[in-house]
Structures are given as structure tokens and as C-alpha cells.
Amino acid sequence: MKAVILAGGLGTRISEETHLKPKPMIEIGGKPILWHIMKTYSAYGVNDFVICCGYKGYLIKEYFANYFLHMSDVTFDMANNQMKVHQQKAEPWKVTLVDTGEDTLTGGRLKRVTDYIQNEDAFCFTYGDGVSNVDIRTSIEFHRQHGKLATVTAVQPPGRYGALERSGDQVTGFAEKPRGDGGLINGGFFVLSPRCLDFIEGDHSSWEGAPLTRLAKMGEMMAYEHNGFWQPMDTLRDKNHLEELWASGKAPWKIW
């Protein structure tokens, strides 16, 4: 199965970092948060990634082009024009990096990678700026069992986010930013049928807008409830919190 990861946004709320790099390349423990997300998927056997690049996407491409240089010791033999990589730390990953436009919205980015996922029976889809210890394998099994077009991972964060409205496991709508009522929200980590892309009109379509609303109203979206750790990296404070968790040696999302 493939995993599509959004990695093209500007990240304006954490501009202290994103004026130099795309948000998914902000480091936690010396590794981009994008790497942490990919390691989570890889722990459950999902190793084929499609990365939706946009703002400063060349930095993401350069990171993967030079992955060995980032992860291993290297000797440069200048006299003989040779490079030797020591202790190679290869990942079992296939990574497709797609330029989805600098100003494209989330739905539009997903629509632009249609060619890479249209032949899949289902694929994973998430944002490039949050980590979790969600059980990816179980969410995929849940998706296959219910037979609907879409599965969203439902999480319970602080009340500053919009909440899912549900009837059992079925998503029926979305409520805007309830305050501390314990409502579940869209935590990303979707499992989708490629048919979901038919609900996206183009570059200026937000995935969180009309596509999700239409799927919910049609009864084609189910919620996989995750009661464990989930943390987006929206602000510098969030970033520092994740850094502290990683430095403690007990980062909840480190399941590999």
C-alpha cells in the first residue's frame, strides 16, 4: 500500500522555521518531522511514499537525493575523486516526490498525484506536520472491513480544533472548533479509495472542505478512533514540546 503525505504548505504559524525550509523539514531530534511520519508508516509495512511537494520542495528532493550523506559516515577521497559511505543505514522505502504547486490547496495537492495512486484499491493519506502512535495496520483493516470510500482517524485534542459529528463509526458532518467539549476531530492518517479524488475539483479545493463534507453526507466516511498520542506541529511551542519528548527518550510516536 502507498502513503501520500502533504508536504507543500507554507507553515505560516511557525514562520520562525519555515522562512528557511518547508514545514515537514523542520527537525525533531535532528531528523525532519517528515522522516518521523514515514518511520511510523514503515513500522507497519507501508514503505511506498508519494510526497506532495510545494513551497521550497527542492529541499525535500535534495534531502532524499543525499539521504546516505544525512544518515551515514562518509569519506571523500579528493585525490581519486571518490566517495565511500560507511555504515549505510538504508530504509526499505520507495519515495516519489511530486511538485504539486506552491499555492495549491490540500485537496488540489492530492488530486495532482492521481497518476501515482489511481490503480490502488486503497491508499493512506496524511499531513506532513504531525506525529502519532496510531496503529496504521489496524486502521487499514478497519477501512477494508467497512467497505466505504474513506476512513479518517478520529482523535481527541484540545478544543481549539473542529470536531467530527458521528453516528456510531460513521462520520455525518463537522463542527467548527468546539471549546473543550471532548469532541473528536480529524487527526489525519486517512485510508482512502482512489474514488475519493473524484470529489476534488482542482488546485483551489481544500480537502477539509467540500470533499470531506460530501463524503460524510453521502455516508461514505467512517471514523477510526485513536485514543493514544497525537500531536500536530502548528507552532514553535508545539515544536519545542515534541523536541522535549524526543530528548526524554520516551517519545510516544517512536514505535520503530
Side-chain angles (χ1 to χ4, degrees), residues 161-165 173-178:
Y161 296 91
L164 299 175
E165 297 172 345
F174 294 84
E176 288 296 323
K177 299 183 180 179

Side-chain angles (χ1 to χ4, degrees), residues 58-87:
Y58 63 91
L59 292 175
I60 300 177
K61 293 178 181 179
E62 288 176 355
Y63 175 77
F64 286 105
N66 297 303
Y67 192 77
F68 278 139
L69 298 181
H70 291 284
M71 302 298 292
S72 306
D73 296 333
V74 183
T75 297
F76 293 99
D77 185 340
M78 303 299 189
N80 296 304
N81 195 28
Q82 294 178 345
M83 180 184 77
K84 182 177 181 181
V85 179
H86 307 280
Q87 301 167 345

Side-chain angles (χ1 to χ4, degrees), residues 128-218:
D129 61 355
V131 289
S132 177
N133 60 357
V134 59
D135 189 324
I136 301 295
R137 184 178 295 113
T138 302
S139 70
I140 293 171
E141 291 172 356
F142 174 79
H143 176 81
R144 287 175 168 160
Q145 287 171 3
H146 65 61
K148 303 291 186 179
L149 293 181
T151 296
V152 56
T153 297
V155 299
Q156 193 175 47
R160 58 194 173 107
Y161 296 91
L164 299 175
E165 297 172 345
R166 298 193 305 160
S167 175
D169 286 327
Q170 182 171 307
V171 178
T172 58
F174 294 84
E176 288 296 323
K177 299 183 180 179
R179 296 194 178 276
D181 64 356
L184 297 175
I185 70 152
N186 163 17
F189 296 96
F190 297 89
V191 186
L192 305 174
S193 162
R195 290 165 57 195
C196 290
L197 277 63
D198 296 337
F199 295 84
I200 303 171
E201 293 185 358
D203 284 357
H204 298 291
S205 177
S206 170
W207 170 246
E208 300 77 23
L212 284 187
T213 299
R214 287 182 61 192
L215 285 164
K217 288 183 176 179
M218 291 172 59

Side-chain angles (χ1 to χ4, degrees), residues 21-86:
K21 64 184 72 171
K23 191 177 180 183
M25 293 304 291
I26 295 175
E27 294 183 352
I28 304 297
K31 304 288 195 306
I33 194 170
L34 177 61
W35 178 89
H36 291 263
I37 296 166
M38 294 170 70
K39 289 288 283 187
T40 298
Y41 275 106
S42 187
Y44 291 104
V46 178
N47 293 302
D48 194 343
F49 298 96
V50 179
I51 311 298
C52 301
C53 300
Y55 172 69
K56 295 187 182 294
Y58 63 91
L59 292 175
I60 300 177
K61 293 178 181 179
E62 288 176 355
Y63 175 77
F64 286 105
N66 297 303
Y67 192 77
F68 278 139
L69 298 181
H70 291 284
M71 302 298 292
S72 306
D73 296 333
V74 183
T75 297
F76 293 99
D77 185 340
M78 303 299 189
N80 296 304
N81 195 28
Q82 294 178 345
M83 180 184 77
K84 182 177 181 181
V85 179
H86 307 280

